Each structure stands twice: as structure tokens, then as C-alpha cells.
Amino acid sequence: MFDHKSRTVNDLKNTDGKFKHFYNRELTRRRLLSAGVAVSVAGMLPSAGAAKQRKTRPNIVYIIADDLGVYDLGCYGQTKIETPHIDRLAVEGTRFAAAYGGAPICSPSRCALMTGRHMGHASVRDNFALAGGVLGFKGTEHIRRANIANGEPTVASLVQQVGYATGLVGKWHLDGYSPEAVPTNHGFEEFHGWLTQTETTQGYFPTQWYKNTLLQDISGNRDGQKRVYETDICTRQACEFISDHQHEPFFLVVAYNAPHSPYMASSLRQYASKDWGLSEKTYAAMISDLDDGIGAIMQTLKKLEIDEKTIVFFSSDHGPRSEPTSEQTEVVSFFNSKGPLRGFKRDLYEGGIRVPLIVRWPEKIKSGYVDERPVYHADFLPTAVSLAEGHVPSFIDGADIFSTVSLGGLKEDRWLYWETYEPSFWQAIRWKQWKAVRPVGKDRVELYDLSSDKGEVRDVSIEYSHISSYLKKLMQHAHVSNREYPIPI
């Protein structure tokens, strides 16, 4: 698929000065251990007894879609788009009915997933930075982006410390314009994918693709050709990683770009003859391509006879609709992608932050079960690190949802917190069945009882003023300003 013309990123020069040089370094597991990742290595390495038990620890695969609506999947009620492989995951595992992304947009949601910290503490809280960060270009626009902090622990770095092989395929989106904030500097021994700061690696038919910090040309997409599809690249390389590491415990993130705009598919598949608009056909085909990729990953696990010792997570980063254009609104309305929920991507109402979440691990978690308790992206780090028998840092905001699946172990009174900066700063928090939203420019909060009002139609903040006041105080406690997001409360 690729030309055998690999170059270090240091060999590449951007004539517009948009691209800063990367350090050409491949951190080995030993160098990471010696460098540390802002937490003590002592006590994190497996003891002799733990090493003997290593075969009992599961492989961990996290598959994440981009801009996929909860209701785009058959197992959540979709009737027009066919997703048989994802639906099978739900039949064989547990489906969460109240799962949330870490934020209503890409970069911060993935930051919560990778670091276990909510948006009041995260190093990346928006796709852009208000201050600090690193200046760069998006097209011709000069913008500032935040990036994952140097030395910040991630799921990958923490499970790597206890002997897991680690890989990321596809979208990282935590590098901003920093030459150091790349996956291989944050615990991923293998990275096959694209970076925010390298435009040639982006899109559904990229002309280049990273292998660690090396750029490889994709000859099939040169000169305007569209022969190698991003979804297929991710699937193939995910299956290769699994095959390469089948005899050792591994952690793999498969971060597909689909179905993020622009709507582009390799073919219209079974939808070509439908009496739909072209955008609707394309969107459905993109999701079915994604579904086929997941089917191939599961088939690889089964063929290698390791699917029963592999826990597979499937989710999305936030709600549907990449931009508020008439075309995209039409598409998600046609497929009812957000169901009864209020809002879209970029909103802190349910439609912006609710995501699908399915967890499958044969004979270890319930099959065909629907879990109603709220969980979110910040929960993944403590869940995965606990499964790997590693050390979960004390400053993590999430909780171990594996205990939720098997034992019902989440505290009933815990709260989930979000903030975002589009179009300006606003906040949301969930506690039990209550959801509080503090919209842009308002001091008072809106309050919704999600047990009877999933669509957030009726504001009951006056009726339950004691709860509104309590949740507003929690919001004030949760937000901590930092260099990139210097907003005091």
C-alpha cells in the first residue's frame, strides 16, 4: 500500500514555516521507564508473582469513531444504516445507555479518554487554545492549539509500565502544533496514523501516513487519485498489530476518522440504489465501512484464538454533526442520529456529549446487558490500568467501569463534569439523575431531571433550587484555570 520511501520528520521542510521539526526519536520501553511519566515508577513494575499472572490479564482494544451519533447504530435503534458487527458486540457484551464523551468536540474528548481527567483539569479542553499553546496553521488560518502536556501520564504509558505492548492506529489529535506531543512520546510504542500538524496525512484519502515518527507516501492517493481509503488503512494496520503481538499482552487504540465530515466513502455500497440524497447514502456507507472494519478486527481476534482474553471497547468521541451546515443537519435528521436528545456536537446538552459505548469480554462481563448508569471517557484510564494490574494515579477524575459491568461498583453520588469554549466558556455537570448546564454568558444554571426529561426540555432549576445551587458549587470546584484556558470562576 505504501511506497518504501520513509523519511524522518526532521528531513521535511515546510516552505511556509508552518511545520516545526520533530525530534527524530523512537522511545523504547526501557527509555520510557528510565525517563518516567510524572508518576513514580517504583511499585508500578510487575513483581515476579505478577509476571506469572500476566497471561490472565486481558488484551485491551479500544475502538473509537468520530462524530458518530448514539442512534446511528442498530443496537441503539437505527433502522436505515446496517451495522451488524457493532450490533453483535452489543449482543455478546454490555451496552451502556448513558455513556458520555469527555467533551463535545474532538481533541478534548480524546484528552479525557487518554488521561482520565475531566475538562476542569485536562491539558486540552478545546480544539483551540485561548492562550499559550503553540501557533500554527489550519489551512491559511493562523491559530493556537493546546497539546497534551510533556510527561503527562496516559493509558498507554501506564499499561506499558506493566509490560503491555502499546499501539495507536488512526487519529491522535492531541499534538496540536507541538513537535514533542506525538504518540510515541506518550506511551505508544507503535503509531500508524495522522497528526493535526501534518496536513498531508489527513482526510479520507491521505497522501502520506505516519509510521511512528516517519512519514510514508501513499502512492495510490497521489495526484488526486483516491485508491486507498483511510478507514481501510486503519483496519488493516489494526489487524496487523494484533497479529504481531498475539503472544504478549497488548493495548491497542483504533481511532477511525469516520463518519466525520467531509462525507466521503470508497463506494456507496448497498445504499447506492436507495431513494435517498447523495449525502445520506455516503454517510450510511461510511458507517458501514466502519462496521466492516470492526468485523475484521473481531475476526482477527477469533482467528488467532485470543478473542476470549481480549476486552473490546467501542465508542465515539461526542455527538453527531461535524459542522452546523444545512447538509449535515439534514443527514443527522434523516437518520435521527441524536434521537430525542437536545443539541449536537459542540453543545453541552445531551446531544453533544452522549456517545455509544459497548464493552465485550466473553465470560467476564454480562452479554446482552444494558447498563443505565452514567459513565464517561475519563473512566477509561482507571478501567484499563486496573485491568492491566497497573497503578492508577491518585489525581485521576474517572472511575473503574469494569467494576460497574461486573459488580456494580461505581458510587451512586459521584458527578461527571464538562466544560467547553465554543462559542465561549460554558459548563455542565451530571449528578445522579440531575443534569445542570450553565450556558454561555449566564450566571444561573439550568437544571434537568434526565430520568423523566432526556431531551432537556423542562428547566426545573427554580423548583429544585437546592440542587441547582449544589451543582453550581460543584462546577466552581471542578474548574481549575491553566495557562491555555485562563478563565477564573
Side-chain angles (χ1 to χ4, degrees), residues 1 8 14 63 100 109 136 138 153 202 224 230 260 288 340 406 486:
M1 180 177 66
T8 68
N14 189 301
I63 305 170
Y100 295 87
S109 189
K138 182 178 182 181
Q202 300 167 21
E230 194 260 5
H260 194 291
S288 287
S406 60

Side-chain angles (χ1 to χ4, degrees), residues 383-402:
T383 301
V385 176
S386 296
L387 288 167
E389 300 176 6
H391 172 75
V392 180
S394 60
F395 54 79
I396 295 303
D397 296 310
D400 178 2
I401 70 167
F402 185 68

Side-chain angles (χ1 to χ4, degrees), residues 96-100 350 354 357 371-376 379 399 401 404 410-412 414-416 418 430-434 450:
F96 286 83
Y100 295 87
E350 295 289 282
R354 280 279 188 112
L357 177 62
D371 197 310
E372 299 284 348
R373 287 165 290 186
V375 296
Y376 69 154
D379 295 331
I401 70 167
T404 304
L410 280 185
K411 293 182 179 178
E412 183 183 356
R414 78 162 185 151
W415 44 269
L416 285 62
W418 302 267
R430 174 162 180 173
W431 174 66
K432 298 184 177 180
Q433 81 267 32
W434 303 103
L450 296 180

Side-chain angles (χ1 to χ4, degrees), residues 264-326:
M264 301 180 72
S266 55
S267 75
L268 295 181
R269 299 173 52 103
Q270 67 267 40
Y271 308 103
S273 61
K274 295 286 187 180
D275 186 21
W276 302 348
L278 178 59
S279 295
E280 285 83 351
K281 294 177 184 180
T282 305
Y283 186 78
M286 294 170 75
I287 293 175
S288 287
D289 281 340
L290 168 69
D291 183 73
D292 279 353
I294 292 166
I297 291 170
M298 297 308 300
Q299 183 60 37
T300 298
L301 292 170
K302 291 178 181 180
K303 182 178 179 181
L304 297 174
E305 299 182 346
I306 57 174
D307 71 305
E308 292 191 359
K309 58 182 180 182
T310 302
I311 183 168
V312 177
F313 297 77
F314 172 76
S315 189
S316 183
D317 51 358
H318 44 65
R321 194 182 72 172
S322 300
E323 291 87 30
T325 64
S326 57

Side-chain angles (χ1 to χ4, degrees), residues 80-91:
K80 297 176 181 176
I81 305 172
E82 298 175 20
T83 56
H85 301 293
I86 297 172
D87 298 344
R88 187 175 298 115
L89 285 180
V91 170

Side-chain angles (χ1 to χ4, degrees), residues 39-115:
V39 292
S40 173
V41 173
M44 295 176 61
L45 296 177
S47 63
K52 291 180 181 179
Q53 297 175 2
R54 182 174 299 173
K55 292 183 180 179
T56 68
R57 298 183 297 167
N59 305 313
I60 304 168
V61 177
Y62 196 102
I63 305 170
I64 183 168
D66 197 332
D67 290 12
L68 180 75
V70 175
Y71 299 95
D72 282 328
L73 304 174
C75 55
Y76 282 90
Q78 177 59 230
T79 59
K80 297 176 181 176
I81 305 172
E82 298 175 20
T83 56
H85 301 293
I86 297 172
D87 298 344
R88 187 175 298 115
L89 285 180
V91 170
E92 297 176 352
T94 288
R95 175 172 65 86
F96 286 83
Y100 295 87
I105 45 180
C106 297
S107 292
S109 189
R110 292 160 197 273
C111 186
L113 183 72
M114 288 292 102
T115 67

